[in-house]
């Protein structure tokens, strides 16, 4: 009996797939060879999930894999009209990144509230200057995005004593609908964006929404870079219309050394690392092997993405 052909979009370091020896014909492709290799594959592991290669290679003749897995939370870099309309099952890495990202957001909130960048700079200058910091407990936060990552962020912020409202595409118990977002922004001390990138959410945070926020409010984005109109965030910060911000994701990555974002007062820049804790690649590989076992046995897969929506729907949404 023939084994399925598993095609892997290469990235360094490669995934550890030794446990699939004898159970899969594992082949590797890069961005240049992917289009030619797709028709011969039964399944595709997009190990290089930062690449646009799948979206570019998918259109065209020939068969396509029956299953595609991306070891990332977002799927926007993969989808094109032809892929979205296909019968191919798409799964993501739901379950891996939620708690690490929630911890990272909590760290950013505490960093900005307690002015840790200022403390480190004064230490570098050997200057003793007493200051007062902002209280966190008792404040209000809005988390935009009601998927597992957004809900984990909400739980963690509540543990810090914040009153947290979560918004999603539609209202459900414990989640406000998107139509309530503007009103919630006007009351928030902390706004955290953890939404998926879709046509409906692209550029959702721009000048109009930053103008709704309090001058004392802080903004954090751990979703996708294109959710934020970066120039308009810069204007809000330099004009002191909001108090501070932290970005872990950007419209163009990696952020070039000549980007103005590095020098914006009140902005913390980090290199898309909020979900990446020690051992994260191993956990992603283990998750894929577990999914492969289910797929090869013909069993239902978890983490199936609704390709029209661009994310894994919540059971109660």
């Amino acid at each position: 009996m023939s084994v399925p052909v598993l095609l892997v979009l290469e990235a360094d370091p490669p995934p550890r797939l030794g446990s699939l020896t004898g159970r899969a014909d594992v082949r590797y492709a890069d961005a240049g060879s992917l289009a030619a290799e797709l028709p011969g594959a039964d399944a595709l592991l997009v190990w290089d999930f930062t690449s646009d290669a799948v979206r570019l290679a998918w259109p065209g003749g020939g068969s396509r894999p029956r299953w595609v897995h991306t070891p990332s939370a977002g799927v926007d870099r993969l989808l094109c009209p032809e892929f979205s309309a296909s019968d191919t099952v798409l799964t993501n890495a739901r379950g891996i990144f939620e708690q690490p990202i929630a911890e990272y957001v909590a760290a950013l909130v505490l960093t900005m509230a307690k002015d840790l960048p200022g403390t480190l700079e004064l230490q570098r200058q050997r200057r003793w200057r007493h200051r007062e910091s902002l209280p966190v407990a008792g404040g209000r936060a809005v988390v935009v995005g009601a998927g597992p990552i957004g809900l984990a962020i909400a739980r963690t912020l509540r543990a810090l004593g914040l009153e947290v409202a979560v918004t999603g595409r539609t209202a459900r118990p414990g989640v406000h609908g998107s139509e309530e977002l503007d009103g919630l922004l006007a009351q928030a001390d902390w706004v955290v964006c953890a939404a998926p990138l879709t046509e409906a959410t692209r550029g959702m945070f721009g000048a109009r929404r930053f103008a709704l926020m309090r001058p004392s409010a802080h903004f954090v984005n751990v979703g996708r870079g294109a959710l934020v109109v970066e120039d308009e965030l810069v204007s809000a910060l330099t004009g002191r219309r909001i108090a501070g911000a932290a970005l872990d994701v950007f419209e163009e990555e990696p952020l070039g050394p000549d980007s103005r974002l590095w020098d914006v007062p009140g902005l913390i820049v980090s290199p898309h690392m909020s979900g990446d804790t020690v051992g994260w690649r191993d956990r992603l590989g283990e998750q894929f092997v577990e999914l492969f076992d289910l797929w090869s046995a013909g069993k239902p897969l978890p983490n199936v993405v609704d390709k029209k929506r661009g994310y894994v729907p919540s059971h109660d949404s």
Side-chain angles (χ1 to χ4, degrees):
M1 181 177 178
S2 62
V3 297
V5 174
L6 169 62
L7 184 62
V8 179
L9 182 61
E10 291 181 299
D12 188 34
R16 297 180 179 178
L17 300 176
S19 62
L20 297 184
T21 300
R23 299 194 289 139
D25 177 2
V26 182
R27 304 175 185 177
Y28 291 86
D30 58 19
S33 62
L34 182 63
E37 296 289 343
L38 278 175
D42 297 300
L44 171 65
L45 169 58
V46 190
W47 192 246
D48 185 2
F49 56 83
T50 66
S51 171
D52 295 319
V54 174
R55 187 175 71 242
L56 298 175
W58 195 272
S63 61
R64 291 294 181 263
R66 293 177 282 124
W67 170 42
V68 173
H69 177 74
T70 178
S72 62
V75 300
D76 49 280
R77 303 197 78 143
L78 280 72
L79 294 177
C80 62
E82 293 84 356
F83 189 6
S84 296
S86 73
D87 293 331
T88 297
V89 174
L90 173 62
T91 55
N92 75 351
R94 189 172 188 167
I96 300 294
F97 296 111
E98 288 85 343
Q99 189 57 36
I101 292 177
E103 293 171 2
Y104 199 86
V105 168
L108 289 172
V109 167
L110 291 170
T111 293
M112 289 189 282
K114 304 308 176 185
D115 189 27
L116 296 185
T119 295
L120 293 172
E121 176 58 24
L122 288 168
Q123 179 181 349
R124 188 190 67 81
Q125 298 175 14
R126 296 173 177 258
R127 293 176 59 198
W128 181 282
R129 184 164 68 84
H130 181 270
R131 292 112 61 223
E132 294 179 343
S133 65
L134 297 174
V136 174
R140 294 180 176 179
V142 174
V143 177
V144 183
I149 292 174
L151 296 179
I153 292 170
R155 288 193 299 271
T156 304
L157 294 183
R158 289 187 181 113
L160 295 179
L162 284 159
E163 178 184 329
V164 184
V166 179
T167 68
R169 186 175 66 90
T170 56
R172 62 181 190 267
V175 176
H176 298 268
S178 58
E179 70 281 358
E180 299 179 71
L181 175 58
D182 287 357
L184 292 168
L185 291 178
Q187 305 171 39
D189 301 296
W190 304 92
V191 177
V192 180
C193 183
L197 178 60
T198 67
E199 287 309 307
T201 61
R202 185 179 298 273
M204 68 183 300
F205 279 98
R208 186 185 71 81
R209 283 204 160 115
F210 291 128
L212 294 173
M213 294 166 57
R214 295 174 174 178
S216 58
H218 293 74
F219 174 77
V220 175
N221 185 21
V222 291
R224 281 292 182 265
L227 297 168
V228 176
V229 183
E230 290 176 352
D231 286 346
E232 295 176 7
L233 172 60
V234 170
S235 295
L237 287 167
T238 56
R240 298 186 178 181
R241 290 187 289 278
I242 62 173
L247 299 179
D248 187 55
V249 288
F250 303 86
E251 291 183 63
E252 296 291 336
E253 296 182 7
L255 195 65
D258 58 346
S259 171
R260 67 184 296 197
L261 293 175
W262 294 108
D263 301 313
V264 176
L267 177 61
I268 295 174
V269 169
S270 61
H272 202 151
M273 59 179 285
S274 61
D276 302 344
T277 52
V278 174
W280 66 286
R281 288 184 178 88
D282 289 341
R283 289 190 290 275
L284 289 173
E286 292 164 1
Q287 181 188 54
F288 174 74
V289 171
E290 292 172 0
L291 293 174
F292 182 90
D293 290 341
L294 293 173
W295 175 76
S296 60
K299 296 180 180 179
L301 289 171
N303 298 5
V304 174
V305 174
D306 183 326
K307 292 179 293 183
K308 301 298 183 184
R309 295 185 185 184
Y311 53 88
V312 179
S314 299
H315 295 300
D316 54 351
S317 63

